Amino acid sequence: MRLRVEFTTEPFDLDEAPAHAVVARQVIEAAELDAVDVGPFGNTAEGGSDAVLTAVDALLRKTLEAGATRVSLQVNVIEADGEGDE
């Protein structure tokens, strides 16, 4: 199964990326995901379900530790191959 995660971390700072946003970018870019798109107001990544769920776990833990006061995320199934998790 393939998943897409979309997420933002808060609080926002338009002048300088806060530490939690930098950490979020590092976590997602280091994960074994494809189609990563990191932007100032929203981020998306796609991959196999195990890789996405592992990345989401790390994302939540590390961004909260880095000062995020809110993490909003949405996870969608984008392809089910009928063969279980990738």
Side-chain angles (χ1 to χ4, degrees):
M1 175 183 333
R2 287 185 54 78
L3 301 175
R4 175 183 297 124
V5 61
E6 301 175 45
F7 66 92
T8 59
T9 61
E10 296 178 38
F12 294 114
D13 183 341
L14 297 178
D15 295 326
E16 183 177 336
H20 59 80
V22 173
V23 166
R25 177 179 295 209
Q26 292 169 342
V27 168
I28 291 302
E29 289 178 345
E32 295 181 18
L33 302 171
D34 14 273
V36 173
D37 183 20
V38 178
F41 299 108
N43 310 284
T44 61
E46 297 178 8
S49 60
D50 287 341
V52 169
L53 295 174
T54 297
V56 166
D57 177 64
L59 175 79
L60 290 171
R61 292 176 189 277
K62 292 183 179 185
T63 58
L64 292 170
E65 289 171 2
T69 57
R70 179 177 179 159
V71 180
S72 301
L73 64 89
Q74 179 174 329
V75 178
N76 293 299
V77 175
I78 56 172
E79 180 182 316
D81 62 11
E83 297 177 14
D85 292 343
E86 291 182 340

